[in-house]
Amino acid sequence: MVVHVNGKPIDIAAETTLAQLLLQLEITTRHVAVELNLEIVPFENHAKCELHDGDKLEIVTLVGGG
């Protein structure tokens, strides 16, 4: 199935969770904001949030500095 991450199509396996997708994308930090179909998904829900064909995600990694 295909999901769109920051505007790019990505092939993933059926029943993939948001947490699994983040690992696949090598995003291992907890400091990330994820919007799924225009709704923010809290970090504590990443492991139980199952993705579906055609989902649209925006993923932003938070970086400190000045």
Short mmCIF file of all heavy atoms in Angstrom, two decimals:
data_model
loop_
_atom_site.label_atom_id
_atom_site.label_comp_id
_atom_site.label_asym_id
_atom_site.label_seq_id
_atom_site.Cartn_x
_atom_site.Cartn_y
_atom_site.Cartn_z
N MET A 1 0.85 -1.17 0.00
CA MET A 1 0.00 0.00 0.00
C MET A 1 0.89 1.23 0.00
O MET A 1 2.08 1.15 0.29
CB MET A 1 -0.97 -0.03 1.17
CG MET A 1 -0.40 0.22 2.52
SD MET A 1 -1.72 0.10 3.76
CE MET A 1 -0.80 0.54 5.18
N VAL A 2 0.31 2.37 -0.33
CA VAL A 2 1.08 3.60 -0.46
C VAL A 2 0.54 4.66 0.48
O VAL A 2 -0.68 4.88 0.56
CB VAL A 2 1.02 4.13 -1.92
CG1 VAL A 2 1.74 5.46 -2.03
CG2 VAL A 2 1.62 3.13 -2.88
N VAL A 3 1.45 5.29 1.22
CA VAL A 3 1.12 6.47 2.03
C VAL A 3 1.98 7.62 1.51
O VAL A 3 3.00 7.39 0.85
CB VAL A 3 1.36 6.25 3.54
CG1 VAL A 3 0.44 5.16 4.09
CG2 VAL A 3 2.80 5.93 3.85
N HIS A 4 1.58 8.83 1.80
CA HIS A 4 2.33 10.00 1.35
C HIS A 4 2.96 10.67 2.56
O HIS A 4 2.24 11.07 3.48
CB HIS A 4 1.41 10.96 0.60
CG HIS A 4 0.83 10.34 -0.63
ND1 HIS A 4 1.44 10.41 -1.85
CD2 HIS A 4 -0.28 9.58 -0.80
CE1 HIS A 4 0.72 9.76 -2.74
NE2 HIS A 4 -0.33 9.23 -2.12
N VAL A 5 4.28 10.77 2.56
CA VAL A 5 5.02 11.36 3.67
C VAL A 5 5.68 12.65 3.16
O VAL A 5 6.52 12.59 2.26
CB VAL A 5 6.08 10.39 4.22
CG1 VAL A 5 6.87 11.05 5.34
CG2 VAL A 5 5.43 9.10 4.71
N ASN A 6 5.26 13.75 3.73
CA ASN A 6 5.77 15.06 3.31
C ASN A 6 5.69 15.21 1.79
O ASN A 6 6.61 15.70 1.15
CB ASN A 6 7.19 15.29 3.82
CG ASN A 6 7.26 15.31 5.33
OD1 ASN A 6 6.25 15.43 6.02
ND2 ASN A 6 8.45 15.20 5.87
N GLY A 7 4.58 14.73 1.22
CA GLY A 7 4.33 14.87 -0.21
C GLY A 7 4.91 13.78 -1.10
O GLY A 7 4.66 13.76 -2.29
N LYS A 8 5.69 12.85 -0.53
CA LYS A 8 6.31 11.79 -1.33
C LYS A 8 5.60 10.46 -1.08
O LYS A 8 5.36 10.09 0.07
CB LYS A 8 7.78 11.62 -0.96
CG LYS A 8 8.65 12.79 -1.31
CD LYS A 8 10.09 12.48 -0.95
CE LYS A 8 10.99 13.65 -1.28
NZ LYS A 8 12.38 13.35 -0.92
N PRO A 9 5.29 9.71 -2.15
CA PRO A 9 4.68 8.40 -1.95
C PRO A 9 5.71 7.40 -1.42
O PRO A 9 6.85 7.37 -1.86
CB PRO A 9 4.21 8.01 -3.36
CG PRO A 9 5.05 8.81 -4.29
CD PRO A 9 5.45 10.06 -3.56
N ILE A 10 5.26 6.59 -0.45
CA ILE A 10 6.14 5.57 0.15
C ILE A 10 5.34 4.26 0.20
O ILE A 10 4.21 4.25 0.69
CB ILE A 10 6.55 5.96 1.58
CG1 ILE A 10 7.24 7.30 1.57
CG2 ILE A 10 7.33 4.86 2.26
CD1 ILE A 10 8.52 7.42 2.29
N ASP A 11 5.94 3.19 -0.28
CA ASP A 11 5.32 1.87 -0.20
C ASP A 11 5.59 1.28 1.18
O ASP A 11 6.74 1.26 1.63
CB ASP A 11 5.90 0.93 -1.26
CG ASP A 11 5.42 1.26 -2.65
OD1 ASP A 11 4.22 1.49 -2.82
OD2 ASP A 11 6.26 1.30 -3.57
N ILE A 12 4.53 0.82 1.82
CA ILE A 12 4.67 0.16 3.12
C ILE A 12 3.82 -1.10 3.14
O ILE A 12 2.90 -1.25 2.32
CB ILE A 12 4.27 1.09 4.30
CG1 ILE A 12 2.81 1.53 4.20
CG2 ILE A 12 5.18 2.30 4.37
CD1 ILE A 12 2.29 2.26 5.42
N ALA A 13 4.10 -1.98 4.06
CA ALA A 13 3.32 -3.20 4.22
C ALA A 13 1.99 -2.90 4.88
O ALA A 13 1.85 -1.93 5.62
CB ALA A 13 4.10 -4.21 5.07
N ALA A 14 1.00 -3.73 4.60
CA ALA A 14 -0.29 -3.61 5.26
C ALA A 14 -0.09 -3.77 6.76
O ALA A 14 0.83 -4.45 7.21
CB ALA A 14 -1.25 -4.68 4.74
N GLU A 15 -0.93 -3.12 7.54
CA GLU A 15 -0.92 -3.17 9.00
C GLU A 15 0.32 -2.53 9.63
O GLU A 15 0.66 -2.80 10.78
CB GLU A 15 -1.09 -4.61 9.50
CG GLU A 15 -2.38 -5.24 9.05
CD GLU A 15 -2.58 -6.65 9.55
OE1 GLU A 15 -1.84 -7.10 10.44
OE2 GLU A 15 -3.50 -7.32 9.05
N THR A 16 1.00 -1.65 8.88
CA THR A 16 2.13 -0.92 9.43
C THR A 16 1.63 0.16 10.36
O THR A 16 0.67 0.87 10.05
CB THR A 16 2.96 -0.27 8.29
OG1 THR A 16 3.48 -1.30 7.46
CG2 THR A 16 4.11 0.56 8.84
N THR A 17 2.26 0.29 11.52
CA THR A 17 1.89 1.36 12.46
C THR A 17 2.76 2.58 12.19
O THR A 17 3.79 2.50 11.52
CB THR A 17 2.09 0.93 13.92
OG1 THR A 17 3.48 0.72 14.15
CG2 THR A 17 1.29 -0.31 14.26
N LEU A 18 2.33 3.68 12.74
CA LEU A 18 3.11 4.91 12.61
C LEU A 18 4.50 4.73 13.20
O LEU A 18 5.49 5.15 12.62
CB LEU A 18 2.37 6.07 13.29
CG LEU A 18 3.07 7.41 13.29
CD1 LEU A 18 3.50 7.84 11.90
CD2 LEU A 18 2.18 8.46 13.93
N ALA A 19 4.61 4.08 14.34
CA ALA A 19 5.92 3.84 14.97
C ALA A 19 6.82 3.02 14.05
O ALA A 19 8.01 3.30 13.91
CB ALA A 19 5.75 3.14 16.32
N GLN A 20 6.27 2.00 13.39
CA GLN A 20 7.05 1.18 12.47
C GLN A 20 7.51 1.98 11.26
O GLN A 20 8.63 1.82 10.80
CB GLN A 20 6.22 -0.03 12.03
CG GLN A 20 5.98 -1.02 13.13
CD GLN A 20 4.93 -2.06 12.77
OE1 GLN A 20 3.99 -1.79 12.02
NE2 GLN A 20 5.09 -3.26 13.31
N LEU A 21 6.64 2.86 10.76
CA LEU A 21 7.02 3.70 9.63
C LEU A 21 8.16 4.63 10.02
O LEU A 21 9.12 4.79 9.26
CB LEU A 21 5.83 4.52 9.14
CG LEU A 21 6.16 5.54 8.04
CD1 LEU A 21 6.64 4.84 6.77
CD2 LEU A 21 4.98 6.43 7.76
N LEU A 22 8.09 5.22 11.20
CA LEU A 22 9.16 6.11 11.65
C LEU A 22 10.49 5.36 11.74
O LEU A 22 11.53 5.88 11.35
CB LEU A 22 8.80 6.76 12.98
CG LEU A 22 7.63 7.75 12.93
CD1 LEU A 22 7.27 8.21 14.33
CD2 LEU A 22 7.95 8.93 12.03
N LEU A 23 10.46 4.12 12.22
CA LEU A 23 11.69 3.30 12.26
C LEU A 23 12.19 3.02 10.85
O LEU A 23 13.39 3.10 10.58
CB LEU A 23 11.43 1.99 12.99
CG LEU A 23 11.40 2.06 14.51
CD1 LEU A 23 11.01 0.71 15.10
CD2 LEU A 23 12.74 2.50 15.06
N GLN A 24 11.26 2.71 9.94
CA GLN A 24 11.63 2.44 8.55
C GLN A 24 12.29 3.66 7.92
O GLN A 24 13.23 3.53 7.13
CB GLN A 24 10.37 2.06 7.76
CG GLN A 24 10.59 1.78 6.30
CD GLN A 24 9.30 1.44 5.58
OE1 GLN A 24 8.38 0.86 6.14
NE2 GLN A 24 9.21 1.81 4.31
N LEU A 25 11.82 4.84 8.30
CA LEU A 25 12.39 6.08 7.78
C LEU A 25 13.62 6.54 8.56
O LEU A 25 14.16 7.61 8.30
CB LEU A 25 11.32 7.19 7.80
CG LEU A 25 10.11 6.95 6.91
CD1 LEU A 25 9.07 8.04 7.14
CD2 LEU A 25 10.51 6.88 5.45
N GLU A 26 14.02 5.73 9.54
CA GLU A 26 15.18 6.01 10.41
C GLU A 26 15.01 7.29 11.21
O GLU A 26 15.95 8.03 11.45
CB GLU A 26 16.48 6.02 9.60
CG GLU A 26 16.76 4.68 8.95
CD GLU A 26 18.03 4.66 8.13
OE1 GLU A 26 18.72 5.69 8.03
OE2 GLU A 26 18.34 3.58 7.59
N ILE A 27 13.77 7.54 11.63
CA ILE A 27 13.46 8.65 12.52
C ILE A 27 13.29 8.04 13.90
O ILE A 27 12.23 7.52 14.24
CB ILE A 27 12.19 9.40 12.07
CG1 ILE A 27 12.37 9.95 10.67
CG2 ILE A 27 11.86 10.51 13.07
CD1 ILE A 27 11.13 10.56 10.06
N THR A 28 14.35 8.07 14.69
CA THR A 28 14.34 7.36 15.97
C THR A 28 14.23 8.30 17.16
O THR A 28 14.28 7.85 18.30
CB THR A 28 15.62 6.50 16.11
OG1 THR A 28 16.76 7.36 15.96
CG2 THR A 28 15.66 5.42 15.05
N THR A 29 14.07 9.57 16.90
CA THR A 29 13.96 10.52 18.01
C THR A 29 12.52 10.62 18.50
O THR A 29 11.58 10.40 17.75
CB THR A 29 14.46 11.92 17.58
OG1 THR A 29 14.30 12.81 18.67
CG2 THR A 29 13.68 12.44 16.39
N ARG A 30 12.39 10.94 19.74
CA ARG A 30 11.05 11.17 20.30
C ARG A 30 10.59 12.59 19.98
O ARG A 30 9.42 12.92 20.09
CB ARG A 30 11.10 10.95 21.81
CG ARG A 30 9.76 11.05 22.43
CD ARG A 30 9.77 10.77 23.89
NE ARG A 30 8.43 11.10 24.35
CZ ARG A 30 7.96 10.87 25.52
NH1 ARG A 30 8.72 10.33 26.41
NH2 ARG A 30 6.74 11.18 25.85
N HIS A 31 11.52 13.42 19.55
CA HIS A 31 11.22 14.82 19.28
C HIS A 31 10.77 15.00 17.84
O HIS A 31 11.47 15.55 17.00
CB HIS A 31 12.44 15.69 19.59
CG HIS A 31 12.93 15.51 20.98
ND1 HIS A 31 12.24 15.99 22.08
CD2 HIS A 31 14.01 14.87 21.47
CE1 HIS A 31 12.90 15.66 23.17
NE2 HIS A 31 13.97 14.97 22.83
N VAL A 32 9.58 14.49 17.57
CA VAL A 32 9.03 14.55 16.23
C VAL A 32 7.53 14.87 16.34
O VAL A 32 6.87 14.42 17.28
CB VAL A 32 9.27 13.22 15.47
CG1 VAL A 32 8.56 12.07 16.11
CG2 VAL A 32 8.91 13.32 14.02
N ALA A 33 7.05 15.68 15.42
CA ALA A 33 5.62 15.97 15.36
C ALA A 33 5.08 15.30 14.10
O ALA A 33 5.67 15.41 13.03
CB ALA A 33 5.38 17.47 15.31
N VAL A 34 3.96 14.59 14.25
CA VAL A 34 3.37 13.88 13.13
C VAL A 34 1.92 14.29 12.97
O VAL A 34 1.14 14.25 13.92
CB VAL A 34 3.45 12.35 13.32
CG1 VAL A 34 2.83 11.64 12.13
CG2 VAL A 34 4.88 11.90 13.52
N GLU A 35 1.59 14.69 11.74
CA GLU A 35 0.21 15.00 11.39
C GLU A 35 -0.25 13.92 10.42
O GLU A 35 0.40 13.66 9.41
CB GLU A 35 0.16 16.37 10.73
CG GLU A 35 -1.23 16.81 10.35
CD GLU A 35 -1.22 18.14 9.63
OE1 GLU A 35 -1.06 18.12 8.39
OE2 GLU A 35 -1.33 19.19 10.29
N LEU A 36 -1.35 13.26 10.74
CA LEU A 36 -1.91 12.21 9.91
C LEU A 36 -3.28 12.66 9.43
O LEU A 36 -4.19 12.86 10.25
CB LEU A 36 -2.01 10.90 10.69
CG LEU A 36 -2.76 9.75 10.04
CD1 LEU A 36 -2.10 9.34 8.73
CD2 LEU A 36 -2.85 8.57 10.99
N ASN A 37 -3.41 12.85 8.13
CA ASN A 37 -4.68 13.31 7.56
C ASN A 37 -5.22 14.53 8.29
O ASN A 37 -6.38 14.59 8.69
CB ASN A 37 -5.70 12.17 7.53
CG ASN A 37 -5.23 11.00 6.70
OD1 ASN A 37 -4.57 11.16 5.70
ND2 ASN A 37 -5.54 9.80 7.15
N LEU A 38 -4.33 15.51 8.49
CA LEU A 38 -4.64 16.82 9.08
C LEU A 38 -4.90 16.79 10.59
O LEU A 38 -5.39 17.76 11.14
CB LEU A 38 -5.82 17.49 8.36
CG LEU A 38 -5.63 17.69 6.85
CD1 LEU A 38 -6.90 18.29 6.24
CD2 LEU A 38 -4.42 18.57 6.57
N GLU A 39 -4.58 15.69 11.27
CA GLU A 39 -4.72 15.61 12.73
C GLU A 39 -3.40 15.21 13.35
O GLU A 39 -2.75 14.26 12.91
CB GLU A 39 -5.80 14.60 13.12
CG GLU A 39 -7.20 15.04 12.73
CD GLU A 39 -8.27 14.15 13.31
OE1 GLU A 39 -8.05 13.54 14.38
OE2 GLU A 39 -9.34 14.07 12.69
N ILE A 40 -3.00 15.91 14.41
CA ILE A 40 -1.77 15.59 15.14
C ILE A 40 -1.94 14.26 15.87
O ILE A 40 -2.97 14.03 16.51
CB ILE A 40 -1.43 16.71 16.15
CG1 ILE A 40 -1.22 18.04 15.43
CG2 ILE A 40 -0.22 16.34 16.99
CD1 ILE A 40 -0.03 18.08 14.51
N VAL A 41 -0.92 13.41 15.77
CA VAL A 41 -0.93 12.13 16.49
C VAL A 41 0.05 12.25 17.65
O VAL A 41 1.26 12.40 17.43
CB VAL A 41 -0.50 10.96 15.56
CG1 VAL A 41 -0.52 9.65 16.34
CG2 VAL A 41 -1.39 10.89 14.34
N PRO A 42 -0.43 12.21 18.89
CA PRO A 42 0.47 12.29 20.04
C PRO A 42 1.47 11.13 20.06
O PRO A 42 1.16 10.03 19.61
CB PRO A 42 -0.47 12.19 21.25
CG PRO A 42 -1.84 12.52 20.73
CD PRO A 42 -1.83 12.09 19.29
N PHE A 43 2.66 11.40 20.58
CA PHE A 43 3.72 10.39 20.63
C PHE A 43 3.24 9.08 21.24
O PHE A 43 3.55 8.00 20.74
CB PHE A 43 4.92 10.93 21.43
CG PHE A 43 6.00 9.90 21.63
CD1 PHE A 43 6.87 9.59 20.61
CD2 PHE A 43 6.11 9.23 22.84
CE1 PHE A 43 7.87 8.63 20.78
CE2 PHE A 43 7.10 8.27 23.03
CZ PHE A 43 7.97 7.98 21.99
N GLU A 44 2.47 9.15 22.31
CA GLU A 44 2.03 7.93 23.00
C GLU A 44 1.08 7.08 22.15
O GLU A 44 0.85 5.91 22.46
CB GLU A 44 1.39 8.25 24.36
CG GLU A 44 0.22 9.20 24.32
CD GLU A 44 0.62 10.67 24.43
OE1 GLU A 44 1.82 11.00 24.43
OE2 GLU A 44 -0.31 11.49 24.51
N ASN A 45 0.58 7.61 21.03
CA ASN A 45 -0.30 6.84 20.15
C ASN A 45 0.40 6.30 18.91
O ASN A 45 -0.23 5.59 18.12
CB ASN A 45 -1.49 7.71 19.71
CG ASN A 45 -2.40 8.05 20.86
OD1 ASN A 45 -2.34 7.45 21.92
ND2 ASN A 45 -3.25 9.04 20.66
N HIS A 46 1.67 6.59 18.72
CA HIS A 46 2.38 6.16 17.51
C HIS A 46 2.37 4.65 17.34
O HIS A 46 2.19 4.15 16.23
CB HIS A 46 3.83 6.66 17.52
CG HIS A 46 3.95 8.13 17.29
ND1 HIS A 46 5.18 8.74 17.11
CD2 HIS A 46 3.03 9.13 17.20
CE1 HIS A 46 4.99 10.04 16.92
NE2 HIS A 46 3.70 10.29 16.98
N ALA A 47 2.56 3.90 18.41
CA ALA A 47 2.66 2.44 18.31
C ALA A 47 1.32 1.78 17.98
O ALA A 47 1.29 0.70 17.40
CB ALA A 47 3.22 1.86 19.60
N LYS A 48 0.22 2.42 18.32
CA LYS A 48 -1.09 1.80 18.05
C LYS A 48 -1.83 2.44 16.88
O LYS A 48 -2.92 2.01 16.54
CB LYS A 48 -1.96 1.82 19.31
CG LYS A 48 -2.22 3.17 19.89
CD LYS A 48 -2.96 3.06 21.22
CE LYS A 48 -3.02 4.42 21.89
NZ LYS A 48 -3.59 4.35 23.22
N CYS A 49 -1.21 3.39 16.22
CA CYS A 49 -1.82 4.08 15.08
C CYS A 49 -1.49 3.33 13.79
O CYS A 49 -0.40 3.44 13.26
CB CYS A 49 -1.32 5.53 15.01
SG CYS A 49 -2.00 6.44 13.64
N GLU A 50 -2.45 2.54 13.31
CA GLU A 50 -2.24 1.77 12.09
C GLU A 50 -2.52 2.64 10.86
O GLU A 50 -3.52 3.36 10.82
CB GLU A 50 -3.17 0.55 12.09
CG GLU A 50 -2.85 -0.44 11.00
CD GLU A 50 -3.66 -1.71 11.12
OE1 GLU A 50 -3.55 -2.38 12.16
OE2 GLU A 50 -4.40 -2.02 10.18
N LEU A 51 -1.63 2.56 9.89
CA LEU A 51 -1.76 3.37 8.68
C LEU A 51 -2.58 2.63 7.63
O LEU A 51 -2.66 1.41 7.63
CB LEU A 51 -0.37 3.70 8.14
CG LEU A 51 0.52 4.46 9.12
CD1 LEU A 51 1.92 4.60 8.58
CD2 LEU A 51 -0.07 5.82 9.44
N HIS A 52 -3.19 3.41 6.72
CA HIS A 52 -4.04 2.87 5.67
C HIS A 52 -3.62 3.43 4.32
O HIS A 52 -3.05 4.52 4.24
CB HIS A 52 -5.51 3.21 5.96
CG HIS A 52 -5.98 2.69 7.26
ND1 HIS A 52 -5.98 3.47 8.40
CD2 HIS A 52 -6.44 1.48 7.63
CE1 HIS A 52 -6.44 2.75 9.42
NE2 HIS A 52 -6.72 1.54 8.97
N ASP A 53 -3.95 2.69 3.28
CA ASP A 53 -3.61 3.11 1.93
C ASP A 53 -4.13 4.51 1.65
O ASP A 53 -5.29 4.82 1.94
CB ASP A 53 -4.21 2.12 0.92
CG ASP A 53 -3.68 2.32 -0.47
OD1 ASP A 53 -2.46 2.53 -0.62
OD2 ASP A 53 -4.49 2.28 -1.41
N GLY A 54 -3.26 5.37 1.15
CA GLY A 54 -3.65 6.73 0.79
C GLY A 54 -3.51 7.75 1.91
O GLY A 54 -3.77 8.94 1.69
N ASP A 55 -3.12 7.31 3.13
CA ASP A 55 -2.95 8.27 4.23
C ASP A 55 -1.92 9.32 3.85
O ASP A 55 -0.95 9.05 3.12
CB ASP A 55 -2.48 7.56 5.50
CG ASP A 55 -3.62 6.91 6.27
OD1 ASP A 55 -4.80 7.20 5.99
OD2 ASP A 55 -3.32 6.11 7.18
N LYS A 56 -2.12 10.52 4.36
CA LYS A 56 -1.19 11.63 4.13
C LYS A 56 -0.58 12.04 5.48
O LYS A 56 -1.32 12.35 6.41
CB LYS A 56 -1.92 12.80 3.48
CG LYS A 56 -2.38 12.48 2.07
CD LYS A 56 -3.07 13.64 1.44
CE LYS A 56 -3.49 13.44 0.00
NZ LYS A 56 -3.64 12.17 -0.53
N LEU A 57 0.75 12.00 5.54
CA LEU A 57 1.46 12.34 6.76
C LEU A 57 2.40 13.51 6.52
O LEU A 57 3.02 13.61 5.47
CB LEU A 57 2.30 11.15 7.25
CG LEU A 57 1.51 9.90 7.62
CD1 LEU A 57 1.73 8.83 6.60
CD2 LEU A 57 1.91 9.44 8.98
N GLU A 58 2.49 14.35 7.52
CA GLU A 58 3.51 15.40 7.55
C GLU A 58 4.33 15.11 8.80
O GLU A 58 3.78 15.01 9.91
CB GLU A 58 2.89 16.79 7.63
CG GLU A 58 2.19 17.21 6.36
CD GLU A 58 3.11 17.40 5.17
OE1 GLU A 58 4.27 17.84 5.34
OE2 GLU A 58 2.67 17.09 4.04
N ILE A 59 5.63 14.93 8.63
CA ILE A 59 6.52 14.60 9.75
C ILE A 59 7.56 15.70 9.87
O ILE A 59 8.24 16.03 8.91
CB ILE A 59 7.20 13.25 9.52
CG1 ILE A 59 6.14 12.15 9.37
CG2 ILE A 59 8.16 12.94 10.67
CD1 ILE A 59 6.70 10.79 8.99
N VAL A 60 7.64 16.27 11.08
CA VAL A 60 8.59 17.33 11.35
C VAL A 60 9.44 16.92 12.54
O VAL A 60 8.91 16.59 13.60
CB VAL A 60 7.86 18.66 11.66
CG1 VAL A 60 8.85 19.75 11.97
CG2 VAL A 60 6.96 19.06 10.50
N THR A 61 10.75 16.93 12.36
CA THR A 61 11.68 16.64 13.45
C THR A 61 12.02 17.95 14.15
O THR A 61 12.38 18.93 13.51
CB THR A 61 12.95 15.97 12.92
OG1 THR A 61 12.60 14.82 12.19
CG2 THR A 61 13.87 15.57 14.05
N LEU A 62 11.89 17.95 15.46
CA LEU A 62 12.17 19.15 16.24
C LEU A 62 13.66 19.22 16.55
O LEU A 62 14.26 18.25 17.01
CB LEU A 62 11.36 19.14 17.54
CG LEU A 62 9.85 18.92 17.33
CD1 LEU A 62 9.15 18.79 18.68
CD2 LEU A 62 9.25 20.04 16.53
N VAL A 63 14.25 20.38 16.29
CA VAL A 63 15.68 20.57 16.49
C VAL A 63 15.89 21.81 17.37
O VAL A 63 15.30 22.85 17.11
CB VAL A 63 16.41 20.76 15.14
CG1 VAL A 63 17.89 20.98 15.36
CG2 VAL A 63 16.16 19.58 14.23
N GLY A 64 16.71 21.66 18.39
CA GLY A 64 17.03 22.80 19.26
C GLY A 64 18.19 23.59 18.69
O GLY A 64 18.89 23.17 17.79
N GLY A 65 18.39 24.73 19.22
CA GLY A 65 19.51 25.54 18.77
C GLY A 65 19.15 27.02 18.79
O GLY A 65 18.06 27.41 19.15
N GLY A 66 20.04 27.80 18.31
CA GLY A 66 19.74 29.21 18.32
C GLY A 66 20.57 30.01 17.38
O GLY A 66 21.26 29.64 16.54
#
